[in-house]
Coordinates of all heavy atoms in Angstrom, one line a residue:
M1 N 6.5 36.7 132.0 CA 6.8 35.4 131.5 C 7.8 34.7 132.5 O 8.8 35.3 132.7 CB 7.5 35.5 130.1 CG 8.0 34.2 129.6 SD 8.9 34.3 128.0 CE 7.7 35.1 127.0
P2 N 7.4 33.6 133.1 CA 8.3 33.0 134.0 C 9.6 32.5 133.3 O 9.6 32.1 132.1 CB 7.5 31.8 134.5 CG 6.1 32.0 134.0 CD 6.1 33.0 132.9
D3 N 10.7 32.4 134.1 CA 11.9 32.0 133.5 C 11.9 30.5 133.0 O 12.6 30.2 132.1 CB 13.1 32.1 134.5 CG 13.7 33.5 134.5 OD1 13.5 34.2 133.5 OD2 14.4 33.9 135.4
N4 N 11.1 29.7 133.7 CA 11.0 28.3 133.3 C 10.2 28.1 132.0 O 10.2 27.0 131.5 CB 10.5 27.4 134.4 CG 9.1 27.8 134.8 OD1 8.5 28.7 134.3 ND2 8.7 27.1 135.8
E5 N 9.5 29.1 131.5 CA 8.7 29.0 130.3 C 9.7 28.9 129.1 O 10.6 29.7 129.0 CB 7.8 30.2 130.2 CG 6.9 30.0 129.0 CD 5.8 31.1 128.9 OE1 5.4 31.6 130.0 OE2 5.5 31.5 127.8
K6 N 9.4 28.0 128.2 CA 10.3 27.8 127.0 C 10.1 28.9 126.1 O 9.0 29.2 125.7 CB 9.9 26.5 126.4 CG 10.7 26.2 125.1 CD 11.8 25.3 125.5 CE 12.4 24.8 124.2 NZ 13.8 24.8 124.2
L7 N 11.2 29.6 125.7 CA 11.1 30.6 124.6 C 11.4 29.9 123.3 O 12.4 29.2 123.2 CB 12.2 31.6 124.8 CG 12.0 32.6 126.0 CD1 13.3 33.4 126.1 CD2 10.8 33.4 125.8
S8 N 10.6 30.0 122.4 CA 10.8 29.4 121.1 C 10.2 30.1 120.0 O 9.2 30.8 120.2 CB 10.3 27.9 121.1 OG 8.9 27.9 121.2
A9 N 10.8 30.0 118.8 CA 10.2 30.5 117.6 C 9.7 29.3 116.8 O 10.4 28.4 116.5 CB 11.2 31.3 116.8
T10 N 8.4 29.3 116.5 CA 7.8 28.1 115.9 C 7.6 28.3 114.4 O 7.0 27.5 113.8 CB 6.4 27.9 116.5 OG1 5.6 29.1 116.4 CG2 6.5 27.5 118.0
S11 N 8.1 29.4 113.8 CA 8.0 29.6 112.4 C 8.9 28.7 111.6 O 9.8 28.1 112.1 CB 8.3 31.1 112.1 OG 9.7 31.3 112.3
A12 N 8.8 28.8 110.3 CA 9.6 28.1 109.4 C 11.1 28.5 109.5 O 12.0 27.7 109.5 CB 9.2 28.3 107.9
S13 N 11.3 29.8 109.7 CA 12.6 30.4 109.9 C 13.3 29.7 111.1 O 14.5 29.5 111.0 CB 12.6 31.9 110.0 OG 13.8 32.4 110.2
A14 N 12.6 29.5 112.2 CA 13.2 28.9 113.4 C 13.6 27.5 113.2 O 14.5 27.0 113.9 CB 12.3 29.1 114.5
R15 N 13.0 26.8 112.2 CA 13.3 25.4 112.0 C 14.4 25.1 111.0 O 14.9 24.0 110.9 CB 12.0 24.6 111.6 CG 11.0 24.6 112.7 CD 9.8 23.7 112.3 NE 9.1 24.2 111.1 CZ 8.1 25.0 111.2 NH1 7.6 25.5 112.3 NH2 7.5 25.4 110.1
I16 N 14.8 26.2 110.3 CA 15.8 26.1 109.3 C 17.2 26.1 110.0 O 17.4 27.0 110.9 CB 15.7 27.2 108.2 CG1 14.4 27.1 107.5 CG2 16.9 27.2 107.3 CD1 14.1 28.3 106.6
S17 N 18.1 25.3 109.6 CA 19.4 25.4 110.2 C 20.2 26.4 109.4 O 20.0 26.7 108.2 CB 20.1 24.1 110.2 OG 20.3 23.6 108.9
G18 N 21.3 27.0 110.0 CA 22.1 28.0 109.3 C 22.2 29.2 110.1 O 21.7 29.3 111.3
P19 N 22.8 30.2 109.6 CA 23.0 31.5 110.4 C 21.7 32.1 110.7 O 20.7 32.0 109.9 CB 23.8 32.4 109.4 CG 23.9 31.7 108.1 CD 23.3 30.3 108.2
A20 N 21.6 32.8 111.8 CA 20.4 33.5 112.3 C 20.8 34.9 112.7 O 21.8 35.1 113.2 CB 19.8 32.7 113.4
V21 N 19.8 35.8 112.6 CA 19.9 37.1 113.1 C 18.7 37.4 114.0 O 17.6 37.1 113.6 CB 19.9 38.2 111.9 CG1 19.9 39.6 112.5 CG2 21.2 38.0 111.1
L22 N 19.0 37.8 115.2 CA 18.0 38.2 116.2 C 17.9 39.7 116.3 O 18.9 40.4 116.6 CB 18.3 37.6 117.6 CG 17.4 38.1 118.7 CD1 16.0 37.7 118.5 CD2 18.0 37.5 120.0
Q23 N 16.7 40.2 115.9 CA 16.5 41.7 116.0 C 15.6 41.9 117.3 O 14.7 41.1 117.6 CB 15.7 42.2 114.9 CG 16.4 42.1 113.5 CD 15.5 42.6 112.4 OE1 15.4 43.8 112.3 NE2 14.9 41.7 111.7
I24 N 16.0 42.9 118.1 CA 15.2 43.2 119.3 C 14.7 44.6 119.2 O 15.5 45.6 119.1 CB 16.1 43.1 120.6 CG1 16.8 41.7 120.6 CG2 15.4 43.4 121.8 CD1 17.8 41.5 121.6
V25 N 13.4 44.7 119.1 CA 12.7 46.0 119.0 C 11.6 46.1 120.0 O 11.0 45.1 120.4 CB 12.1 46.2 117.6 CG1 13.2 46.3 116.6 CG2 11.2 45.2 117.2
P26 N 11.3 47.3 120.6 CA 10.3 47.4 121.6 C 8.9 46.8 121.2 O 8.3 46.1 122.0 CB 10.2 48.9 121.9 CG 11.5 49.4 121.5 CD 11.9 48.6 120.3
A27 N 8.5 47.2 120.0 CA 7.1 46.8 119.6 C 7.1 46.8 118.1 O 8.0 47.4 117.4 CB 6.1 47.7 120.2
L28 N 6.1 46.1 117.5 CA 6.0 46.1 116.1 C 4.7 46.8 115.6 O 3.7 46.3 115.2 CB 5.9 44.6 115.6 CG 7.2 43.8 115.8 CD1 6.9 42.3 115.6 CD2 8.2 44.3 114.8
H29 N 4.8 48.1 115.8 CA 3.7 49.0 115.5 C 4.0 49.6 114.1 O 5.0 49.5 113.5 CB 3.4 50.1 116.5 CG 3.0 49.5 117.8 ND1 1.8 48.8 118.0 CD2 3.7 49.4 119.0 CE1 1.7 48.4 119.3 NE2 2.9 48.7 119.9
E30 N 3.0 50.4 113.6 CA 3.2 51.0 112.3 C 4.1 52.2 112.4 O 3.7 53.4 112.6 CB 1.8 51.4 111.7 CG 0.9 50.3 111.5 CD 1.3 49.3 110.5 OE1 2.0 49.7 109.5 OE2 1.1 48.1 110.7
D31 N 5.4 52.0 112.2 CA 6.3 53.1 112.2 C 7.6 52.7 111.4 O 7.6 51.6 110.9 CB 6.7 53.6 113.6 CG 7.4 52.6 114.5 OD1 7.8 51.5 113.9 OD2 7.5 52.8 115.7
G32 N 8.5 53.5 111.3 CA 9.7 53.2 110.5 C 10.5 52.0 111.1 O 11.1 51.2 110.3
C33 N 10.6 51.9 112.4 CA 11.3 50.8 113.0 C 10.7 49.5 112.6 O 11.4 48.5 112.2 CB 11.3 51.0 114.5 SG 12.2 49.7 115.4
E34 N 9.4 49.4 112.6 CA 8.7 48.1 112.2 C 9.0 47.8 110.8 O 9.3 46.7 110.4 CB 7.2 48.2 112.5 CG 6.5 47.0 111.9 CD 5.0 47.2 111.9 OE1 4.5 47.7 110.9 OE2 4.3 46.7 112.9
R35 N 8.9 48.8 109.9 CA 9.1 48.6 108.5 C 10.5 48.1 108.3 O 10.7 47.1 107.5 CB 8.8 49.8 107.7 CG 8.8 49.7 106.2 CD 7.5 49.1 105.7 NE 7.7 47.6 105.5 CZ 6.8 46.7 105.7 NH1 5.6 47.0 106.1 NH2 7.1 45.4 105.4
G36 N 11.5 48.7 108.9 CA 12.9 48.3 108.7 C 13.1 46.9 109.3 O 13.8 46.1 108.7
T37 N 12.5 46.5 110.4 CA 12.6 45.2 111.0 C 12.0 44.2 110.0 O 12.7 43.1 109.8 CB 11.9 45.1 112.3 OG1 12.5 46.1 113.2 CG2 11.9 43.8 112.9
I38 N 10.9 44.4 109.5 CA 10.2 43.5 108.6 C 11.0 43.3 107.3 O 11.2 42.2 106.8 CB 8.8 43.9 108.3 CG1 8.0 43.7 109.6 CG2 8.2 43.0 107.2 CD1 6.6 44.3 109.6
D39 N 11.5 44.5 106.7 CA 12.3 44.4 105.5 C 13.6 43.7 105.7 O 14.0 42.9 104.8 CB 12.6 45.9 105.0 CG 11.3 46.6 104.5 OD1 10.3 45.9 104.2 OD2 11.4 47.8 104.3
L40 N 14.2 43.9 106.8 CA 15.5 43.1 107.0 C 15.2 41.6 107.2 O 15.9 40.8 106.7 CB 16.2 43.7 108.3 CG 17.5 42.9 108.7 CD1 18.5 42.9 107.5 CD2 18.1 43.5 109.9
A41 N 14.1 41.3 107.9 CA 13.8 39.9 108.1 C 13.5 39.2 106.7 O 13.9 38.1 106.4 CB 12.5 39.7 109.0
R42 N 12.8 39.9 105.8 CA 12.5 39.4 104.5 C 13.8 39.2 103.7 O 13.9 38.2 103.1 CB 11.6 40.4 103.7 CG 11.3 40.0 102.3 CD 10.4 41.0 101.5 NE 9.1 41.0 102.1 CZ 8.5 42.0 102.7 NH1 9.2 43.1 102.9 NH2 7.3 41.9 103.2
H43 N 14.7 40.2 103.8 CA 15.9 40.0 103.1 C 16.7 38.8 103.6 O 17.3 38.1 102.8 CB 16.7 41.3 103.2 CG 18.1 41.2 102.5 ND1 18.2 41.3 101.1 CD2 19.3 41.2 103.0 CE1 19.5 41.2 100.8 NE2 20.2 41.1 101.9
L44 N 16.8 38.7 104.9 CA 17.6 37.6 105.5 C 17.0 36.2 105.1 O 17.7 35.3 104.7 CB 17.5 37.7 107.0 CG 18.3 38.8 107.6 CD1 18.0 39.0 109.1 CD2 19.8 38.6 107.5
I45 N 15.7 36.1 105.1 CA 15.0 34.9 104.7 C 15.3 34.6 103.2 O 15.6 33.5 102.8 CB 13.5 34.9 105.0 CG1 13.4 34.9 106.5 CG2 12.8 33.7 104.4 CD1 12.0 35.2 107.0
D46 N 15.2 35.6 102.4 CA 15.5 35.5 100.9 C 16.9 35.0 100.7 O 17.2 34.3 99.7 CB 15.2 36.8 100.2 CG 13.8 37.2 100.1 OD1 12.9 36.3 100.3 OD2 13.5 38.3 99.7
C47 N 17.8 35.4 101.6 CA 19.2 35.0 101.5 C 19.5 33.6 102.1 O 20.7 33.2 102.2 CB 20.1 36.0 102.0 SG 20.2 37.5 101.1
G48 N 18.5 33.0 102.7 CA 18.6 31.7 103.3 C 19.0 31.7 104.8 O 19.4 30.7 105.3
W49 N 18.9 32.8 105.4 CA 19.2 33.0 106.8 C 17.9 32.8 107.6 O 16.8 32.9 107.0 CB 19.8 34.3 107.1 CG 21.3 34.5 106.6 CD1 21.7 34.2 105.4 CD2 22.3 35.0 107.4 NE1 23.1 34.5 105.3 CE2 23.5 35.0 106.5 CE3 22.4 35.5 108.7 CZ2 24.7 35.4 107.0 CZ3 23.7 36.0 109.1 CH2 24.8 35.9 108.2
R50 N 18.1 32.6 108.9 CA 16.9 32.6 109.8 C 16.8 34.0 110.4 O 17.7 34.7 110.7 CB 17.1 31.6 110.9 CG 17.1 30.2 110.4 CD 17.3 29.2 111.5 NE 18.6 29.4 112.2 CZ 18.8 29.1 113.4 NH1 17.9 28.7 114.2 NH2 20.0 29.3 113.9
A51 N 15.5 34.5 110.5 CA 15.2 35.8 111.0 C 14.4 35.6 112.3 O 13.3 35.0 112.2 CB 14.5 36.6 110.0
L52 N 14.8 36.1 113.4 CA 14.1 36.1 114.6 C 13.9 37.5 115.1 O 14.8 38.3 115.1 CB 14.9 35.3 115.7 CG 15.2 33.9 115.3 CD1 16.2 33.3 116.3 CD2 14.0 33.0 115.2
V53 N 12.7 37.8 115.6 CA 12.5 39.2 116.1 C 11.8 39.1 117.5 O 10.8 38.4 117.7 CB 11.5 40.0 115.2 CG1 11.2 41.3 115.8 CG2 12.1 40.1 113.8
A54 N 12.5 39.7 118.5 CA 12.0 39.7 119.9 C 11.3 41.1 120.1 O 12.0 42.1 119.8 CB 13.0 39.5 120.9
S55 N 10.1 41.1 120.5 CA 9.4 42.4 120.8 C 8.2 42.2 121.7 O 7.9 41.0 122.0 CB 8.9 43.0 119.5 OG 7.8 42.3 119.0
E56 N 7.5 43.3 122.0 CA 6.3 43.1 122.8 C 5.1 42.8 121.9 O 4.0 42.7 122.4 CB 6.1 44.4 123.6 CG 7.1 44.6 124.7 CD 6.9 45.8 125.6 OE1 5.9 46.5 125.4 OE2 7.7 46.0 126.5
G57 N 5.3 42.7 120.7 CA 4.3 42.3 119.7 C 3.7 43.5 119.0 O 4.2 44.6 119.2
G58 N 2.7 43.3 118.3 CA 2.0 44.4 117.5 C 1.5 43.9 116.2 O 1.7 42.7 115.9
P59 N 1.0 44.8 115.4 CA 0.4 44.4 114.1 C 1.4 43.7 113.2 O 1.1 42.9 112.3 CB -0.1 45.7 113.5 CG -0.2 46.6 114.7 CD 0.8 46.2 115.7
G60 N 2.7 44.1 113.3 CA 3.7 43.6 112.4 C 4.0 42.1 112.6 O 4.6 41.5 111.7
E61 N 3.6 41.5 113.7 CA 3.9 40.1 114.0 C 3.3 39.2 112.9 O 3.9 38.3 112.5 CB 3.3 39.7 115.4 CG 4.3 39.7 116.5 CD 3.6 39.2 117.7 OE1 2.4 39.3 117.9 OE2 4.4 38.7 118.6
T62 N 2.1 39.5 112.5 CA 1.4 38.7 111.5 C 2.2 38.7 110.2 O 2.4 37.6 109.6 CB 0.0 39.2 111.2 OG1 -0.7 39.3 112.5 CG2 -0.7 38.3 110.3
E63 N 2.7 39.8 109.8 CA 3.5 39.9 108.6 C 4.8 39.2 108.7 O 5.2 38.4 107.8 CB 3.8 41.4 108.2 CG 4.4 41.5 106.8 CD 4.6 42.9 106.4 OE1 4.0 43.9 107.0 OE2 5.2 43.1 105.3
L64 N 5.5 39.3 109.8 CA 6.7 38.6 110.1 C 6.5 37.1 110.0 O 7.3 36.4 109.4 CB 7.3 38.9 111.5 CG 8.1 40.2 111.6 CD1 8.4 40.4 113.1 CD2 9.4 40.1 110.8
E65 N 5.5 36.6 110.7 CA 5.2 35.1 110.7 C 4.8 34.7 109.3 O 5.2 33.6 108.9 CB 4.1 34.8 111.7 CG 4.7 35.0 113.1 CD 3.6 34.9 114.2 OE1 2.4 34.9 113.8 OE2 4.0 34.8 115.4
G66 N 4.2 35.5 108.5 CA 3.8 35.2 107.1 C 5.1 35.0 106.2 O 5.1 34.3 105.3
L67 N 6.1 35.8 106.6 CA 7.4 35.7 105.8 C 8.1 34.4 106.2 O 9.0 34.0 105.5 CB 8.3 36.9 106.2 CG 7.8 38.3 105.7 CD1 8.7 39.3 106.3 CD2 7.8 38.3 104.2
G68 N 7.8 33.9 107.4 CA 8.6 32.7 107.9 C 9.6 33.1 109.0 O 10.4 32.3 109.4
A69 N 9.5 34.3 109.5 CA 10.4 34.8 110.5 C 9.8 34.4 111.9 O 8.6 34.1 112.0 CB 10.5 36.3 110.5
G70 N 10.7 34.2 112.9 CA 10.2 33.9 114.2 C 9.9 35.1 115.0 O 10.7 36.0 115.1
A71 N 8.7 35.3 115.5 CA 8.3 36.4 116.3 C 8.2 36.0 117.7 O 7.4 35.1 118.0 CB 6.9 36.9 115.8
L72 N 9.0 36.5 118.6 CA 9.1 36.1 120.0 C 8.6 37.2 120.8 O 9.1 38.4 120.7 CB 10.5 35.8 120.3 CG 11.2 34.8 119.3 CD1 12.7 35.0 119.3 CD2 10.8 33.4 119.6
R73 N 7.7 36.9 121.7 CA 7.1 38.0 122.6 C 8.0 38.1 123.9 O 8.1 37.1 124.7 CB 5.7 37.6 123.0 CG 4.7 37.9 121.9 CD 3.9 39.1 122.2 NE 3.0 39.3 121.1 CZ 1.7 39.6 121.3 NH1 1.2 39.5 122.5 NH2 1.0 39.8 120.2
L74 N 8.5 39.2 124.2 CA 9.2 39.6 125.4 C 8.9 41.0 125.8 O 8.8 41.8 124.9 CB 10.7 39.4 125.2 CG 11.3 38.0 125.1 CD1 12.8 38.1 124.8 CD2 11.1 37.3 126.4
P75 N 8.9 41.3 127.0 CA 8.7 42.7 127.4 C 9.9 43.6 127.3 O 10.4 44.1 128.3 CB 8.2 42.6 128.9 CG 8.9 41.3 129.4 CD 8.9 40.4 128.2
V76 N 10.5 43.7 126.1 CA 11.7 44.3 125.9 C 11.7 45.9 126.0 O 12.7 46.5 126.1 CB 12.4 43.9 124.5 CG1 12.8 42.5 124.6 CG2 11.5 44.2 123.4
G77 N 10.5 46.4 126.0 CA 10.3 47.9 126.2 C 10.3 48.3 127.6 O 10.2 49.5 127.9
S78 N 10.4 47.4 128.5 CA 10.3 47.8 129.9 C 11.6 48.4 130.5 O 12.7 48.1 130.0 CB 10.0 46.5 130.8 OG 10.0 46.8 132.1
S79 N 11.4 49.4 131.4 CA 12.6 50.0 132.0 C 12.7 49.5 133.5 O 13.6 49.9 134.2 CB 12.4 51.5 132.0 OG 11.2 51.9 132.7
N80 N 11.9 48.5 133.8 CA 12.0 47.9 135.2 C 13.3 47.1 135.2 O 13.5 46.2 134.4 CB 10.7 47.0 135.4 CG 10.8 46.4 136.7 OD1 11.7 45.8 137.1 ND2 9.6 46.4 137.4
P81 N 14.1 47.4 136.2 CA 15.4 46.6 136.3 C 15.2 45.1 136.4 O 16.1 44.3 135.9 CB 16.1 47.2 137.5 CG 15.2 48.2 138.1 CD 14.0 48.4 137.3
F82 N 14.2 44.7 137.1 CA 14.0 43.2 137.3 C 13.6 42.6 136.0 O 14.0 41.5 135.6 CB 12.9 43.0 138.4 CG 13.4 43.4 139.7 CD1 12.8 44.6 140.3 CD2 14.4 42.8 140.4 CE1 13.2 45.0 141.5 CE2 14.8 43.2 141.7 CZ 14.2 44.4 142.2
T83 N 12.8 43.3 135.2 CA 12.3 42.8 133.9 C 13.5 42.8 132.9 O 13.7 41.8 132.2 CB 11.2 43.7 133.3 OG1 10.1 43.7 134.2 CG2 10.7 43.2 132.0
I84 N 14.4 43.8 133.0 CA 15.5 43.9 132.1 C 16.5 42.7 132.4 O 17.0 42.0 131.5 CB 16.3 45.2 132.3 CG1 15.4 46.4 131.8 CG2 17.6 45.2 131.7 CD1 15.9 47.8 132.1
R85 N 16.7 42.4 133.7 CA 17.5 41.3 134.1 C 16.9 40.0 133.6 O 17.6 39.1 133.1 CB 17.7 41.3 135.6 CG 18.7 40.2 136.1 CD 19.0 40.4 137.6 NE 19.7 39.3 138.1 CZ 21.0 39.2 138.2 NH1 21.7 40.2 137.7 NH2 21.6 38.2 138.7
A86 N 15.6 39.8 133.8 CA 15.0 38.6 133.3 C 15.1 38.5 131.8 O 15.3 37.4 131.3 CB 13.5 38.6 133.8
N87 N 14.9 39.6 131.1 CA 15.0 39.5 129.7 C 16.4 39.1 129.2 O 16.6 38.4 128.2 CB 14.7 40.9 129.0 CG 13.2 41.2 128.9 OD1 12.4 40.2 129.0 ND2 12.8 42.4 128.8
A88 N 17.4 39.6 129.9 CA 18.8 39.2 129.6 C 19.0 37.7 129.7 O 19.6 37.1 128.8 CB 19.8 39.9 130.5
R89 N 18.4 37.1 130.7 CA 18.5 35.6 130.8 C 17.7 35.0 129.7 O 18.2 34.0 129.1 CB 18.0 35.2 132.2 CG 18.9 35.5 133.4 CD 18.5 34.8 134.6 NE 17.1 35.2 135.0 CZ 16.8 36.2 135.8 NH1 17.7 37.0 136.3 NH2 15.5 36.4 136.2
R90 N 16.5 35.5 129.4 CA 15.7 34.9 128.4 C 16.4 35.0 127.0 O 16.4 34.0 126.2 CB 14.4 35.6 128.3 CG 13.5 35.3 129.5 CD 12.3 36.2 129.5 NE 11.5 36.1 130.7 CZ 11.0 37.1 131.3 NH1 11.1 38.3 130.9 NH2 10.3 36.9 132.4
L91 N 17.0 36.1 126.7 CA 17.7 36.3 125.5 C 19.0 35.4 125.4 O 19.2 34.9 124.3 CB 18.0 37.8 125.3 CG 16.8 38.7 125.0 CD1 17.2 40.2 125.1 CD2 16.2 38.4 123.6
Q92 N 19.7 35.3 126.5 CA 20.8 34.4 126.5 C 20.4 33.0 126.1 O 21.0 32.3 125.3 CB 21.5 34.4 127.8 CG 22.3 35.6 128.1 CD 22.8 35.6 129.6 OE1 22.3 35.0 130.5 NE2 23.8 36.4 129.8
R93 N 19.3 32.5 126.7 CA 18.8 31.2 126.4 C 18.4 31.1 125.0 O 18.7 30.1 124.3 CB 17.7 30.8 127.4 CG 17.2 29.4 127.3 CD 16.3 29.0 128.4 NE 15.1 29.8 128.4 CZ 14.7 30.6 129.4 NH1 15.4 30.6 130.6 NH2 13.5 31.2 129.4
L94 N 17.7 32.1 124.5 CA 17.2 32.1 123.1 C 18.4 32.0 122.2 O 18.3 31.3 121.2 CB 16.4 33.3 122.9 CG 15.7 33.5 121.6 CD1 14.7 32.4 121.3 CD2 15.1 34.9 121.4
I95 N 19.4 32.8 122.4 CA 20.6 32.8 121.5 C 21.3 31.4 121.5 O 21.6 30.9 120.5 CB 21.5 33.9 122.0 CG1 20.9 35.3 121.6 CG2 22.9 33.8 121.3 CD1 21.6 36.5 122.3
R96 N 21.4 30.8 122.7 CA 22.0 29.5 122.7 C 21.2 28.5 121.9 O 21.7 27.6 121.3 CB 22.1 29.0 124.2 CG 23.3 29.5 124.9 CD 23.5 28.8 126.2 NE 22.4 28.8 127.1 CZ 22.1 29.8 128.0 NH1 23.0 30.8 128.1 NH2 21.1 29.7 128.8
E97 N 19.8 28.6 122.0 CA 18.9 27.6 121.4 C 18.9 27.8 119.9 O 18.7 26.8 119.1 CB 17.5 27.7 121.9 CG 17.3 27.3 123.3 CD 15.9 27.6 123.8 OE1 15.1 28.1 123.1 OE2 15.7 27.2 125.0
H98 N 19.2 29.0 119.4 CA 19.1 29.3 118.0 C 20.4 29.6 117.3 O 20.5 29.8 116.2 CB 18.0 30.4 117.7 CG 16.7 30.0 118.0 ND1 15.9 29.2 117.2 CD2 15.9 30.2 119.2 CE1 14.7 29.0 117.8 NE2 14.7 29.6 119.0

């Protein structure tokens, strides 16, 4: 993803003002991490907060978006130092925007 590409969450959660929590997980596959991520996002939204999840994607994205959480695609599972540095800049921008 080029640095000049706009990172945004287009879900209902991203458009609501108020406190937000950004979860960063490598991927949203069928495992305990995904379930915990989705459950926390559901709880945050139920409490009136915004829930944003940055990951490389996976089957759980559909469920997150259905809840109204923002699902953001980033190569956060990479161990490449250049990708890690680029992700840091992308996440900084994302945090400022939300």
Side-chain angles (χ1 to χ4, degrees):
M1 173 185 304
D3 273 344
N4 60 1
E5 185 174 326
K6 178 94 168 142
L7 291 174
S8 64
T10 57
S11 70
S13 179
R15 292 186 297 269
I16 299 170
S17 63
V21 172
L22 170 63
Q23 298 180 75
I24 304 169
V25 295
L28 292 169
H29 298 292
E30 299 296 326
D31 61 14
C33 180
E34 175 190 85
R35 187 77 260 145
T37 300
I38 293 170
D39 289 345
L40 179 57
R42 177 181 291 112
H43 179 72
L44 290 168
I45 291 167
D46 289 346
C47 291
W49 287 48
R50 294 182 296 148
L52 305 169
V53 179
S55 75
E56 291 184 3
E61 260 184 334
T62 304
E63 187 174 354
L64 277 173
E65 291 171 346
L67 294 172
L72 311 155
R73 286 254 177 130
L74 287 176
V76 294
S78 175
S79 59
N80 179 310
F82 297 107
T83 302
I84 292 170
R85 183 172 172 91
N87 281 341
R89 287 190 304 270
R90 293 172 186 138
L91 289 168
Q92 286 173 339
R93 187 170 61 239
L94 182 66
I95 290 166
R96 279 192 303 272
E97 289 173 1
H98 294 278

